[in-house]
């Protein structure tokens, strides 16, 4: 059985769609899968069971990326096409069954909305598939030892970025001798092109306990490294969703994005947001676009501390980084 699975350009949305893909793989043993997604998200699927190929969609003018995808897929008959982009592609291919996304209204989480496409009552949780090589690389990145607090201080849009000095203050408080993660190591994660934005945080942290995981490897190696951490704290971003899907207790920091739709998925994860609602911040952004970088300023360290403490208490004893068994 052949599946064409068309998912998001963005890493975060692609991660959230992996639960649906996992459901289809489990339901149809031996399924042969072709994934079409954005270039940035493509590495997520490298270890996918039954993967035939990944078709990266590099955005081009005049719908050129859709034409290229059609040319890459039109020569085959598909048993199932799942298009989460809501395009016309599925109707231009020979296919047995077509499931095409249509925009939904209401406050349901994105994972719940995706599950509704296939009529699933229980939304399937996002899933990250890893190979032994990813775990081995992660062990080199984060060696065995004391618990690790992971930080994701960057995001794709400055309006969603919490100030770096507050990340530092929160990390130092959590890992202080009298904190809930005494003398824990602190790993700072960011994408290769985000080093300039994240590096100042490294300078605010104790060098002996800090691990520089900026540009540390491909997305799956990063996911394996996150599995070795005790707690992840980060802005609303693709990295936040990757952390949650990897199974590390995740605290998402929200302001001008809607946590009803994009909170880190999973019962063990929580959100702390600005006192101002998403709607109020959207209005503020429209009224004064020049101050977009200040939209997260009303979220203080104390509120994030309380949320992190609650999450740690719920998770139980801190996890010590240890090598995955083969």
């Amino acid at each position: 059985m052949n599946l064409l699975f068309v998912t998001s350009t963005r890493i975060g949305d692609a991660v959230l769609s992996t639960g649906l893909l996992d459901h289809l793989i489990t339901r149809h043993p031996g399924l042969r899968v072709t994934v079409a997604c954005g270039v940035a998200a493509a590495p997520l699927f490298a270890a996918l069971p039954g993967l035939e190929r990944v078709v990266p969609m590099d955005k081009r003018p005049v719908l050129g990326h859709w034409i290229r995808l059609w040319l890459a897929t039109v020569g085959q008959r598909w048993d199932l096409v799942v298009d989460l982009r809501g395009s016309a592609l599925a109707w231009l291919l020979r296919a047995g069954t077509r499931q095409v996304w249509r925009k939904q209204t209401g406050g349901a989480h994105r994972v719940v909305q995706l599950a509704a496409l296939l009529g699933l009552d229980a939304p399937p949780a996002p899933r990250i598939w890893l190979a032994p090589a990813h775990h081995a690389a992660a062990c080199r990145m984060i060696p065995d030892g004391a618990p690790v607090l992971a930080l994701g201080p960057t995001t794709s849009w400055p309006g969603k970025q919490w100030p770096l000095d507050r990340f530092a203050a929160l990390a130092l408080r959590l890992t202080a001798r009298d904190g809930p993660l005494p003398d824990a190591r602190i790993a700072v994660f960011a994408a290769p092109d985000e080093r300039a934005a994240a590096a100042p945080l490294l300078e605010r942290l104790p060098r002996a306990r800090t691990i520089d995981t900026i540009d540390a490897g491909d997305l799956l190696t990063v996911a394996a490294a996150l599995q070795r951490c005790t707690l992840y704290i980060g802005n609303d971003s693709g990295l936040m969703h990757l952390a949650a899907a990897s199974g590390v207790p995740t605290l998402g920091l929200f302001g001008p994005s809607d946590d009803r739709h994009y909170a880190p998925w999973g019962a063990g994860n929580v959100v702390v947001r600005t006192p101002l609602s998403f709607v109020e911040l959207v209005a503020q952004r429209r009224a004064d676009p020049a101050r977009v970088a200040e939209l997260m300023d009303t979220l203080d360290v104390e509120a994030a501390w309380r949320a992190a403490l609650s999450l740690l208490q719920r998770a139980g004893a801190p996890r010590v980084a240890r090598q995955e068994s083969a």
Side-chain angles (χ1 to χ4, degrees):
M1 184 173 179
N2 296 308
L3 164 66
L4 174 61
F5 189 80
V6 183
T7 187
S8 180
T9 297
R10 298 182 298 182
I11 293 172
D13 281 309
V15 169
L16 293 178
S17 75
T18 57
L20 206 62
L21 184 52
D22 186 47
H23 167 81
L24 292 169
I25 292 171
T26 302
R27 183 179 177 184
H28 303 286
L31 187 66
R32 297 184 297 274
V33 184
T34 294
V35 177
C37 62
V39 174
L44 281 173
F45 303 98
L48 180 73
L51 180 68
E52 290 284 307
R53 59 175 170 157
V54 176
V55 183
M57 295 178 67
D58 191 3
K59 189 171 179 61
R60 294 171 179 266
V62 199
L63 300 179
H65 47 296
W66 286 108
I67 295 171
R68 285 173 61 108
L69 178 58
W70 178 77
L71 290 172
T73 55
V74 70
Q76 181 170 340
R77 186 190 183 279
W78 302 95
D79 296 289
L80 174 61
V81 176
V82 176
D83 180 4
L84 304 182
R85 300 284 296 276
S87 73
L89 177 73
W91 310 106
L92 301 175
L93 299 174
R94 293 178 297 154
T97 303
R98 301 173 178 89
Q99 299 286 357
V100 180
W101 173 262
R102 292 291 178 264
K103 186 175 181 179
Q104 300 182 30
T105 58
H109 194 281
R110 175 75 173 175
V111 170
V112 176
Q113 294 181 7
L114 290 172
L117 179 65
L118 297 186
L120 304 179
D121 294 327
R127 166 82 183 272
I128 305 298
W129 298 272
L130 302 174
H134 301 121
H135 291 295
C139 289
R140 293 190 293 270
M141 187 189 313
I142 300 180
D144 293 357
V148 179
L149 169 63
L151 302 178
T154 59
T155 184
S156 59
W157 179 54
K160 296 192 295 183
Q161 185 163 316
W162 202 40
L164 293 183
D165 60 339
R166 299 188 193 182
F167 269 105
L170 178 60
L172 292 173
R173 187 172 176 183
L174 288 169
T175 63
R177 288 286 174 89
D178 59 349
L181 296 173
D183 295 324
R185 294 174 289 172
I186 305 169
V188 177
F189 288 83
D193 59 353
E194 295 173 334
R195 174 165 291 278
L201 176 57
L202 293 170
E203 298 168 2
R204 291 176 164 90
L205 300 172
R207 181 170 298 181
R209 292 194 288 114
T210 301
I211 304 173
D212 181 352
T213 48
I214 301 172
D215 188 18
D218 62 84
L219 283 176
L220 295 185
T221 298
V222 171
L226 287 166
Q227 288 184 349
R228 298 176 60 77
C229 298
T230 300
L231 173 69
Y232 174 88
I233 301 174
N235 304 309
D236 172 27
S237 67
L239 183 60
M240 179 199 73
H241 291 298
L242 186 68
S246 299
V248 59
T250 297
L251 171 60
L253 310 174
F254 278 74
S257 52
D258 197 340
D259 51 290
R260 296 178 306 163
H261 299 308
Y262 287 106
W265 181 262
N269 305 313
V270 298
V271 162
V272 62
R273 62 164 303 111
T274 55
L276 294 176
S277 70
F278 165 65
V279 173
E280 290 171 319
L281 287 174
V282 169
Q284 181 176 311
R285 174 190 175 189
R286 290 172 178 167
D288 194 355
R291 300 181 65 181
V292 67
E294 301 174 16
L295 294 177
M296 291 289 288
D297 284 0
T298 57
L299 176 59
D300 59 30
V301 173
E302 185 63 30
W305 157 264
R306 290 194 299 268
L309 195 59
S310 173
L311 182 53
L312 282 170
Q313 289 171 342
R314 185 187 309 174
R319 300 187 299 175
V320 176
R322 286 199 174 92
Q323 186 168 356
E324 292 283 332
S325 59

